[in-house]
Amino acid sequence: MTGEYRAVFDAEVRFANGGGLRTEGFRLDVPGPGITDDELAALLVRHLGLLMVGEVRISNRTVVEEPHKGGRGVAAAAPGGRRLVELSHEITDGLVTLPGWPGPRITDWLTREASRERYAPGVEFHVARIDMIANTGTYVDMPSHRWADGPDLTGIPLDRLADLPGLVVRVPAGTRAVDRLLLAPYEVTGRAVLLDTGWDAHFGTDAYAGPEAPYLTADGADWLVEAGAALVGIDSINIDDMTPAAAGERPAHSALLAAGIPIVEHLTGLGALPPTGFRFTAAPPRVAGMGTFPVRAFAVLDG
């Protein structure tokens, strides 16, 4: 049992200035099973951001116990105390991040045995070496990754990478294209917008690069730029469509990075986050001349 509830209902909305809309089988987070029709109507109006509503009629209502999916009307419950949530994949020797691209090679530069010859008796150290391409594991893209004259890892201020107010967009199962309409209900200005597609479940398998991998559309990317998102992340193989039908176009990369909005790809564990009420960090080292690099992505939740 989750201790969280959602209402399932039909609704008829009439606007004070004329016109209306109908919903059937709408599901909405509610604070508890005792919610009234009037309270549910108010939550619906707030969740959809409707203006000039004259009347809302609720019918065929049931309340079910299931986890919240995120909405404007119900605050996400957080456990007591400060909590850190890991959002990055572990990098291991030979890890395949992008099929056909080389995996990292992790070796010893200085072994413990060899170090004993350099130090006093009983003192030893280990120094490892990693050879990898920048697009390994969970990584961040900077403007210079796409645009030759864009800033590299040293050129983006920390306030675009660290301690950002976060927002999770739950992408419905089976949805490939995350477009403007799916994003429109959210207030993204100044936030790290994290697209929770659930595709990270396929990481490390052939299905991860399959034709059903979710992505952000050109229209969706343009909306995020217009709305002032600070950073955009996704738990899929690429923020753009990688199928042959896309013909190598990368509209999401192009629009976001042209606007100076960092992109974090190959996130994982977004399902453990509430819709809002957390801080997000994905900061890489300051390496000059590079436009992408692995990050330790994480969220901070305060109870």
Side-chain angles (χ1 to χ4, degrees):
M1 306 299 282
T2 67
E4 295 181 344
Y5 296 87
R6 306 191 79 211
V8 184
F9 59 95
D10 300 339
E12 180 180 354
V13 180
R14 305 300 301 176
F15 294 100
N17 58 342
L21 59 85
R22 293 175 181 268
T23 68
E24 295 182 358
F26 199 90
R27 302 178 82 90
L28 186 64
D29 296 353
V30 295
I35 189 169
T36 67
D37 283 355
D38 287 344
E39 291 169 338
L40 183 57
L43 280 181
L44 177 68
V45 169
R46 175 162 174 74
H47 178 76
L48 297 179
L50 302 177
L51 301 177
M52 300 185 70
V53 173
E55 182 183 12
V56 178
R57 295 179 181 177
I58 303 293
S59 60
N60 300 324
R61 186 191 75 165
T62 60
V63 176
V64 296
E65 187 173 8
E66 65 179 32
H68 286 171
K69 302 298 184 182
R72 296 181 181 181
V74 178
R82 184 170 177 267
R83 184 163 63 96
L84 299 177
V85 179
E86 179 70 67
L87 301 175
S88 50
H89 289 286
E90 180 182 357
I91 296 176
T92 57
D93 185 63
L95 172 74
V96 175
T97 301
L98 299 165
W101 294 40
R105 183 165 180 259
I106 302 174
T107 56
D108 296 322
W109 183 79
L110 179 66
T111 66
R112 295 188 181 279
E113 292 75 15
S115 76
R116 295 168 190 159
E117 301 176 2
R118 302 187 180 194
Y119 303 101
V123 179
E124 63 181 38
F125 294 94
H126 173 252
V127 179
R129 172 174 178 165
I130 183 168
D131 295 284
M132 68 178 185
I133 61 171
N135 292 48
T136 296
T138 303
Y139 54 80
V140 64
D141 292 340
M142 300 299 186
S144 68
H145 177 55
R146 171 66 179 85
W147 303 104
D149 58 350
D152 61 12
L153 295 173
T154 70
I156 294 290
L158 279 176
D159 61 8
R160 299 302 292 270
L161 300 166
D163 197 32
L164 291 164
L167 166 71
V168 175
V169 175
R170 309 286 187 205
V171 179
T175 300
R176 284 202 68 223
V178 180
D179 59 16
R180 179 183 295 251
L181 287 179
L182 197 152
L183 296 168
Y186 297 92
E187 298 173 3
V188 306
T189 305
R191 294 186 173 189
V193 180
L194 309 181
L195 306 180
D196 176 17
T197 72
W199 203 249
D200 57 322
H202 302 293
F203 187 82
T205 72
D206 292 340
Y208 192 60
E212 299 304 314
Y215 65 94
L216 178 66
T217 67
D219 183 57
D222 289 341
W223 186 86
L224 289 170
V225 171
E226 295 164 8
L231 176 149
V232 180
I234 192 169
D235 58 0
S236 186
I237 189 168
N238 201 292
I239 203 162
D240 276 296
D241 186 4
M242 293 181 63
T243 59
E249 298 286 342
R250 293 292 187 267
H253 274 91
S254 298
L256 295 172
L257 295 179
I261 300 173
I263 299 168
V264 182
E265 294 175 311
H266 311 282
L267 286 163
T268 188
L270 295 178
L273 297 179
T276 58
F278 64 92
R279 312 291 292 189
F280 177 78
T281 293
R286 298 182 70 193
V287 184
M290 297 188 71
T292 186
F293 206 86
V295 294
R296 185 73 178 265
F298 63 91
V300 179
L301 287 71
D302 289 317

